């Protein structure tokens, strides 16, 4: 497991002999200086030490290795190591299956330190609790894992898409069951009317089979069940009450817009799981994973000469300690937009570190003029003035910075050594802007996309055609009359009460309460779709299997509550 999750980091850190003299290696468009490469190699080596300490049960040594690994990541400008967190969680699961619960807890503690709040840690903890016989703790940990996942942008987007998908599937399934109830309660009348038409010209022995054929012929078509449901909804329109017709119209519209909704979901999923979008989310959160540099390296080819991309990559190179690439990108941006203070601040930081204090003063002055409310620009200006022995100007700039943000400036003064300046990560903060451009790129107006959109809109036109067909058939049939549905004696016998209790919405369908019947069906269909969503919904990119215990527990509890309420209502209202 560790070899897999560290493969990207190891390959990024490996320095071929032919490149050693250049001291810079390009990984997916990101230039890594020798120091960054060394830190990446150290991550691999120190992870091996953690694994050795874990296998030998040396908890203290493993904890020390975690701190060293995090310090190495901070040297690269990152705070979290998600790959190592997932790998440690996997080791916890393996230890729990072997009954080594102390080692499992050690691995879980390490996983939490590598990347605090990661859902995989909670899911692994649930496995450990379950192996130890602590079922309630396992359920609580699983629930906490899903809450953690909701706080992560990529996982939250995919989970939200799954919520939309389950809701749409539940609405459609409830619609199919509603049509089945309509046919169960009114199908006899429909069949009788069809037989009546055939009996006029044919003997009864032929009329009944032909009537059945008239009702079932759509099954011979591709996707026959779907066309059968649409066909039945048209035939049953004239037999329904006003509220039942409202439900049918809603179902036709829902069926018409479903392809549009699904296509939109697939497009959003493609963006959410694309390597650049994933890299942007992880970089913003300070997470270093194996393919980060390769994933980010594709941005310049997608958006050539895009200021937001250049700004972000400039900040990344600065974090990695490779100022030549960062300075080049910053200067390109500074030429294009002379009033961009974040770029000027970082250029000033570069010149300050080179002890070119007059150039640093010039850039900090430009930044403070471009953004008079930027406390960091004035603070850095005061530090640069101080290095040039312009103490009165330094004091004035520091006073201005304190007026703008006294608490932040006080923290900078307490943390900083004499003469230290502060860079800014506003380029990395432009990740949402770049992500919006990824979405726009996905929706680019090409001929193929226009043709695809036209095909999708045909389904909505088809829904309108179904409504017109049902209305026209009703107007033609109305003058011949409709056979009345034969209602059962509701509440008159134990069989009716059993059916009413077991079949949600049956009673409402019999008496023509369409909306009530549909909403009653929506609850059990949702309880069915939630556990089944594992097989057809979008997979959430979890590094540890969350299991299904929590989902099944909640669904079983939902069924118990649902039928418990139905039983209580039946007892209170037996008639």
């Amino acid at each position: 497991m560790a070899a897999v999750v560290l493969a990207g980091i190891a390959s990024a850190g490996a320095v071929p002999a032919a490149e050693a003299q250049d001291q810079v290696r390009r990984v997916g468009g990101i230039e890594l200086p020798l120091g960054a490469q060394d830190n990446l190699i150290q991550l691999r080596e120190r992870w091996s030490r953690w694994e050795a300490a874990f296998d030998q049960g040396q908890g203290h040594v493993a904890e020390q290795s975690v701190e060293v690994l995090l310090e190495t990541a901070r040297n690269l400008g990152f705070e979290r190591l998600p790959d190592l967190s997932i790998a440690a969680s996997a080791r916890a699961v393996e230890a729990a299956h072997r009954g080594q619960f102390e080692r499992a807890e050690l691995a879980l503690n390490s996983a939490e330190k590598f990347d605090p709040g990661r859902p995989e840690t909670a899911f692994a903890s649930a496995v450990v609790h379950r192996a130890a016989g602590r079922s309630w703790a396992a359920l609580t940990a699983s629930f906490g894992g899903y809450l953690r996942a909701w706080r992560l942008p990529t996982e939250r987007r995919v989970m939200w898409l799954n919520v939309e998908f389950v809701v749409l599937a539940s609405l459609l399934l409830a619609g199919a069951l509603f049509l089945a109830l309509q046919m169960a309660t009114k199908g006899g009348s429909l069949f009788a009317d069809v037989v009546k038409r055939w009996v006029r010209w044919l003997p009864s022995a032929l009329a009944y089979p032909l009537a059945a054929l008239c009702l079932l012929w759509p099954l011979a078509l591709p996707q026959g069940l779907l066309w059968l449901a649409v066909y039945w909804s048209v035939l049953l329109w004239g037999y329904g009450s006003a509220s039942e017709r409202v439900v049918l119209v809603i179902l036709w519209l829902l069926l018409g817009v479903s392809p549009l909704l699904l296509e939109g979901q697939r497009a959003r999923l493609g963006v959410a799981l694309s390597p650049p979008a994933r890299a942007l989310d992880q970089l913003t959160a300070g997470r270093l994973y194996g393919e980060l540099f390769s994933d980010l390296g594709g941005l310049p080819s997608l958006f050539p000469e895009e200021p937001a991309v250049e700004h972000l990559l400039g900040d990344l190179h600065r974090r990695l300690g490779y100022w030549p690439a960062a300075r080049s990108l910053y200067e390109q941006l500074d030429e294009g937009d002379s009033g961009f203070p974040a770029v000027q601040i970082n250029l000033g930081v570069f010149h300050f570190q080179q002890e070119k204090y007059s150039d640093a003063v010039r850039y900090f002055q430009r930044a403070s003029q471009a953004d008079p409310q930027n406390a960091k620009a004035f603070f850095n200006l005061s530090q640069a003035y101080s290095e040039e022995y312009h103490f009165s100007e330094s004091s004035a700039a520091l006073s201005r910075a304190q007026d703008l943000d006294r608490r932040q400036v006080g923290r900078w003064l307490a943390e900083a050594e004499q003469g230290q300046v502060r860079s800014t990560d506003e380029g990395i903060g432009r990740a949402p802007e770049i992500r919006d451009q990824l979405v726009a790129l996905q929706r680019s107006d090409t001929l193929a996309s226009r043709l695809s959109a036209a095909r999708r809109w045909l389904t909505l036109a088809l829904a309108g055609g179904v409504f017109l067909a049902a209305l026209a058939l009703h107007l033609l049939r109305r003058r011949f009359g409709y056979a009345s549905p034969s209602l059962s004696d509701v509440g008159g016998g134990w069989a009716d009460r059993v059916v009413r209790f077991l079949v949600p919405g049956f009673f409402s369908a019999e008496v023509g309460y369409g909306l009530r019947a549909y909403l009653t069906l929506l609850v059990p269909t949702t309880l069915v779709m939630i556990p089944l969503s594992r097989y057809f919904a979008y997979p959430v990119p979890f590094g540890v299997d969350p299991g299904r215990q929590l989902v099944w527990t909640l669904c079983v509890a939902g069924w118990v509550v649902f039928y418990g309420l139905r039983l209580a209502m039946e007892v209170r209202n037996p008639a």
Side-chain angles (χ1 to χ4, degrees), residues 451-469:
L451 291 175
S452 178
R455 287 194 298 269
R456 294 194 302 270
W457 282 103
L458 286 176
T459 60
L460 193 57
L462 178 62
V466 171
F467 169 72
L468 294 177

Side-chain angles (χ1 to χ4, degrees), residues 24-26 29-33 309-333 343 346-347 350:
V24 174
R25 188 183 181 205
R26 196 173 184 87
I30 307 299
E31 293 176 308
L32 300 179
V309 172
E310 292 180 352
H311 197 178
L312 180 138
L313 295 180
D315 282 2
L316 176 61
H317 282 109
R318 176 183 51 77
R319 276 190 178 186
L320 295 172
Y322 190 50
W323 269 106
R327 179 188 179 186
S328 175
L329 290 166
Y330 288 150
E331 288 179 343
Q332 291 176 27
L333 290 169
V343 168
N346 287 342
L347 283 171
F350 167 74

